[in-house]
Amino acid sequence: MKKKVTVYQQKEKPFAKHKYGTSTLGEAGCGVLATINAINYLNGNLIDYKKLASWAGKTHYVHNVGSEHTISKDASYVFGKEYQFKCTEYYVFKNTVGNLYPKSSEDFDLIWNKLISKLKNGEVAVGLVHGHFIAIVDYDSKTKKVLVLDSAAHTSRNTTILGDWKSKKELDYNSSEGSPKLKLRSSLTFLARI
């Protein structure tokens, strides 16, 4: 478990005003930044944001929405060899409310267990919450929390083992704990080193 982690922020230079589709990374680039943060945590490689934004802006940008759900999976095919990562699974849980959130806490248990298994295996995940991509990169077996790197939620680039750790209940759509904006949706892209 790392003591200090860099979290690259959409609203910071050089990302904030960089073109992404018909928008900017600052406004719509959470899929790009979540991928950058996940890979950087995974293996220390920092993907060239200009190359990733240019590619994704042509292939995965949705006007007035942001990025398609498959951005991290497909980025692994284009940039994986250069930055030493691969997609091990694009996981979509089917029993959902409106194709977005798990219907019950029991359904969320299945997603959570899958996530924890992958994190324990040394993989990282890029997931969707309420209209936003986040990187989920580590698991603390003592506290039973996951480390969430959110490119839009921090005031600085650094986080520690004391901050940004979220419990299962904080990410469960059916729970009253945590922020509604951090309720995990039903799809995750799992990434590993190559």
Side-chain angles (χ1 to χ4, degrees):
M1 193 176 320
K2 298 181 180 191
K3 300 291 183 199
K4 190 173 183 182
V5 180
T6 300
V7 183
Y8 294 97
Q9 300 295 307
Q10 291 170 246
K11 300 289 185 183
E12 290 181 331
K13 291 180 182 178
F15 311 112
K17 295 189 188 271
H18 188 79
K19 183 175 171 43
Y20 180 52
T22 58
S23 187
T24 64
L25 288 177
E27 293 301 317
C30 59
V32 172
L33 271 295
T35 303
I36 288 171
N37 284 325
I39 301 311
N40 188 47
Y41 187 91
L42 179 69
N43 62 21
N45 287 328
L46 186 57
I47 296 176
D48 181 331
Y49 75 92
K50 292 178 184 176
K51 286 179 12 182
L52 183 58
S54 177
W55 166 79
K58 295 173 190 159
T59 60
H60 286 73
Y61 176 76
V62 180
H63 184 67
N64 288 332
V65 175
S67 301
E68 291 179 349
H69 294 195
T70 58
I71 184 173
S72 298
K73 172 183 74 94
D74 295 341
S76 72
Y77 305 134
V78 177
F79 299 100
K81 187 173 182 182
E82 181 179 359
Y83 294 99
Q84 290 99 43
F85 73 101
K86 64 181 177 180
C87 176
T88 59
E89 184 176 2
Y90 176 64
Y91 174 75
V92 179
F93 185 75
K94 300 294 183 195
N95 193 20
T96 61
V97 176
N99 290 331
L100 299 177
Y101 299 100
K103 285 186 177 178
S104 67
S105 288
E106 291 78 20
D107 289 333
F108 187 74
D109 288 347
L110 297 171
I111 296 170
W112 181 262
N113 292 337
K114 174 80 151 180
L115 174 63
I116 300 311
S117 173
K118 293 284 196 171
L119 293 174
K120 285 181 175 179
N121 192 41
E123 297 177 41
V124 296
V126 174
L128 280 161
V129 290
H130 186 75
H132 182 59
F133 286 89
I134 57 171
I136 307 168
V137 297
D138 208 341
Y139 176 68
D140 184 329
S141 58
K142 291 179 184 175
T143 64
K144 307 238 185 288
K145 291 183 177 185
V146 295
L147 180 57
V148 173
L149 307 182
D150 183 352
S151 65
H154 302 286
T155 56
S156 74
R157 284 190 173 194
N158 297 317
T159 187
T160 68
I161 61 171
L162 300 174
D164 305 312
W165 289 89
K166 303 296 179 191
S167 70
K168 179 180 173 184
K169 286 185 178 180
E170 288 177 292
L171 296 177
D172 184 352
Y173 174 70
N174 299 286
S175 169
S176 61
E177 290 189 31
S179 161
K181 293 191 176 214
L182 273 182
K183 302 300 183 178
L184 196 60
R185 288 190 179 186
S186 59
S187 65
L188 293 164
T189 300
F190 293 106
L191 306 169
R193 295 178 190 211
I194 55 171

